[in-house]
Amino acid sequence: MYAILNHASLRLGLLAAAVASLIACSVEPTYERPEAPVSDSFKGVSAAGDWKTARPAEELPRGEWWKAFGDATLDRLEAEALAANQDLLAAAARVKEARGLNQVARGGLFPTLDAGVGATRQRVSEAAQREGSTAYQNTTVRAQVGFSYEVDLFGRVSASVHATEAELARSEALFQSVRLALQADVAQNYFVLRQLDAQAQVLADAVTLRQKALELMEARFDDSEVDDLDVSRARAELATARSEAMSVERRRATAEHSLAVLLGKAPSEFALPVEPLRPVALNIPAGLPSSLLERRPDVAAAERAMAAANARVGIAKAAFFPSLTLTGAGGFEGDSLGNLFNWSNGAFLLGPLAGTALNIPLFDGGRRSGNLASARAQYEEEVALYRQQVLVAFREVEDNLADLAVLRRQTGTQQEAVDASARAAELSRTRYLEGATDYLDVIDAERSLLQARRAAVELQGVQAIGTVNLIRALGGGWELSPRPLEGADLAVQP
């Protein structure tokens, strides 16, 4: 008897060892991040003059990059957008969905257990019995626990888990990308509003100046010092300035409505007080090009998509190998509830009730080969998309570095144009009052001054927006990699 038990234990041990060796034999390809074209430095850093490649000062907030502008109104708007934007709410829901799918896949690593109680009532007719037997009825009551477990022989289950984990990481990276895009859009719309406020102030000054000029022309006309032509020209210049101010007012209303939608509000519920744009001159550290591979969420999302595609290749390859599913059930059977749980009424079933436990694929008309070829092609596609995304990231950084380098010089040159135009306008007015020139020279000089001042304000707005674009191209903030998402990050209020 001892020898029989010992022999049975030996067989069970050998079977367990064989199963364990098969479980360890995963056919999923080992994932390694493909190389991408990365340069040693950004070309635009040297072109930007005194731009630095070091990290910013430690007192600057990490992640909340907009606080570097030192604008309390912008800080408040960013907080409101992160709490109520509907696109961000949808992205948060997609992350939760991916977490649920990952949980489903991870459940495949464990057996499933279920329990139940039920009864059947059966009547067997005389035709179903032997000749001479009479029909009878019986009742069977069952209480049992069942289990099922797919042994991960060749890594199909683990590859499925790896694919969903990569998809979850991709969803989280895409959420970070949506959040960064929202933060940048809010800042850009805010600076557009402030730029329009500054233009409105310039035009308001021009309207005031031309109103005084018209009053002067009318007074001189009453004294017969000028004719009606100069009065009409002064009146036309005043009306033109007022019309341009109305155009800016219309554009501001549209920009304000766009900002309201980003904040998750109806345009009728949002109004931002007028405040002219203050010059923005931030030196944003570009860092090293290789840091973009970890910092930019869209690049991280593309890399995780590759990892998921690689895992799906393993799933397709595992379909060529046998699969083993262990099933069983155990419990009690009786003819009534009263004697159901008697020990003598115990019953069990090991193995499938129908079919087989070990399934070996033989022929499927090429379906598995087609699935494997498709999975490999999808991986190749994700590799190409990843490398392209890296190139796009580098191009966006270089574009914004070059833009801001030129804008800094252009802003100084434009200020020289404003100063010269103001001097020319002042001289032309003095010469006109002295009778040394006609009013057309005054009009031309004042038009040039107005155009120069508006161009200077516009450049300030473009510089502020360009700074936001550079921060966005760098991945937002100065963290080398985004921290893992927590529940509070996804708790966006509808």
Side-chain angles (χ1 to χ4, degrees):
M1 181 67 178
Y2 176 79
I4 295 176
L5 291 175
N6 191 32
H7 182 65
S9 300
L10 179 61
R11 293 179 62 185
L12 289 175
L14 291 174
L15 177 62
V19 171
S21 63
L22 288 173
I23 292 175
C25 183
S26 174
V27 296
E28 178 183 353
T30 301
Y31 174 73
E32 295 181 0
R33 187 173 68 181
E35 294 184 359
V38 180
S39 56
D40 296 332
S41 63
F42 290 109
K43 179 175 65 175
V45 171
S46 58
D50 58 352
W51 282 55
K52 301 177 181 179
T53 59
R55 289 175 177 268
E58 288 299 322
E59 64 270 13
L60 289 180
R62 304 295 180 88
E64 296 180 338
W65 50 265
W66 57 88
K67 290 188 176 180
F69 292 101
D71 192 315
T73 303
L74 178 59
D75 296 344
R76 175 177 59 82
L77 295 177
E78 292 285 0
E80 292 179 4
L82 292 175
N85 181 265
Q86 297 301 307
D87 289 334
L88 193 61
L89 178 65
R94 288 192 290 271
V95 173
K96 295 176 182 177
E97 179 184 2
R99 287 178 177 175
L101 293 175
N102 177 246
Q103 183 177 354
V104 171
R106 292 185 63 84
L109 297 173
F110 305 94
T112 59
L113 298 175
D114 56 75
V117 177
T120 58
R121 177 70 174 171
Q122 182 181 21
R123 181 182 186 277
V124 181
S125 66
E126 294 180 1
Q129 303 302 310
R130 295 180 180 178
E131 185 177 354
S133 299
T134 59
Y136 69 91
Q137 299 180 2
N138 69 340
T139 300
T140 302
V141 181
R142 295 184 179 87
Q144 65 181 21
V145 176
F147 79 93
S148 177
Y149 175 63
E150 179 182 353
V151 181
D152 195 15
L153 292 181
F154 295 96
R156 189 198 69 82
V157 178
S158 59
S160 299
V161 174
H162 294 162
T164 57
E165 287 176 346
E167 287 291 348
L168 172 57
R170 177 175 179 268
S171 296
E172 291 180 343
L174 290 175
F175 174 83
Q176 299 279 11
S177 184
V178 171
R179 182 163 63 177
L180 175 60
L182 171 64
Q183 294 166 349
D185 288 344
V186 169
Q188 288 174 348
N189 277 266
Y190 175 75
F191 287 131
V192 166
L193 269 174
R194 293 315 185 202
Q195 174 193 338
L196 292 172
D197 288 342
Q199 287 197 27
Q201 185 180 57
V202 170
L203 288 167
D205 294 341
V207 168
T208 301
L209 182 62
R210 293 180 182 182
Q211 178 68 44
K212 293 180 179 178
L214 175 60
E215 293 173 356
L216 176 61
M217 289 299 104
E218 291 175 340
R220 298 189 68 185
F221 176 77
D222 293 338
D223 295 338
S224 301
E225 296 180 5
V226 297
D227 57 14
D228 188 54
L229 180 59
D230 287 346
V231 176
S232 298
R233 287 171 174 168
R235 187 174 290 113
E237 289 300 306
L238 174 60
T240 299
R242 285 175 174 170
S243 176
E244 291 177 352
M246 294 176 185
S247 296
V248 171
E249 182 181 358
R250 176 172 51 83
R251 291 169 56 195
R252 188 190 191 281
T254 302
E256 191 176 62
H257 298 164
S258 298
L259 184 56
V261 173
L262 291 174
L263 301 181
K265 299 180 180 180
S268 60
E269 300 175 354
F270 176 74
L272 197 65
V274 174
E275 182 181 343
L277 176 68
R278 293 175 295 176
V280 173
L282 292 179
N283 287 338
I284 306 300
L288 297 176
S290 59
S291 65
L292 279 188
L293 304 183
E294 299 177 354
R295 183 186 296 164
R296 279 187 55 135
D298 54 348
V299 174
E303 188 273 332
R304 288 292 83 197
M306 281 192 305
N310 180 79
R312 285 191 287 268
V313 172
I315 297 173
K317 291 177 67 175
F320 286 87
F321 298 91
S323 62
L324 176 62
T325 303
L326 304 179
T327 59
F332 296 90
E333 292 182 353
D335 56 6
S336 66
L337 288 174
N339 62 4
L340 175 61
F341 295 101
N342 291 341
W343 186 253
S344 60
N345 289 338
F348 70 90
L349 171 68
L350 294 179
L353 184 62
T356 59
L358 182 65
N359 294 308
I360 303 175
L362 297 176
F363 177 76
D364 63 357
R367 291 184 180 88
R368 284 168 293 153
S369 298
N371 288 335
L372 179 58
S374 175
R376 285 173 171 167
Q378 289 177 5
Y379 174 74
E380 293 174 1
E381 178 185 3
E382 295 298 342
V383 171
L385 292 175
Y386 167 73
R387 289 172 172 163
Q388 179 65 20
Q389 191 62 46
V390 172
L391 292 174
V392 170
F394 291 151
R395 187 211 69 199
E396 290 178 352
V397 175
E398 295 285 8
D399 286 349
N400 287 286
L401 284 172
D403 284 347
L404 288 175
V406 175
L407 279 170
R408 294 179 66 187
R409 301 195 304 270
Q410 187 177 4
T411 300
T413 303
Q414 186 60 39
Q415 186 58 47
E416 294 177 2
V418 171
D419 296 340
S421 297
R423 177 60 176 166
E426 180 182 359
L427 291 175
S428 64
R429 285 192 295 269
T430 301
R431 294 184 63 185
Y432 172 72
L433 293 176
E434 294 174 352
T437 185
D438 58 20
Y439 194 60
L440 281 177
D441 291 337
V442 177
I443 292 176
D444 288 339
E446 290 183 349
R447 284 179 180 174
S448 297
L449 174 59
L450 179 59
Q451 182 178 1
R453 292 186 63 190
R454 293 188 65 179
V457 169
E458 183 177 354
L459 282 177
Q460 290 178 0
V462 172
Q463 188 173 18
I465 294 172
T467 303
V468 174
N469 283 333
L470 176 59
I471 295 174
R472 180 176 181 175
L474 292 172
W478 296 274
E479 295 173 313
L480 284 181
S481 59
R483 60 182 175 81
L485 292 181
E486 301 175 354
D489 298 314
L490 305 180
V492 184
Q493 300 298 323

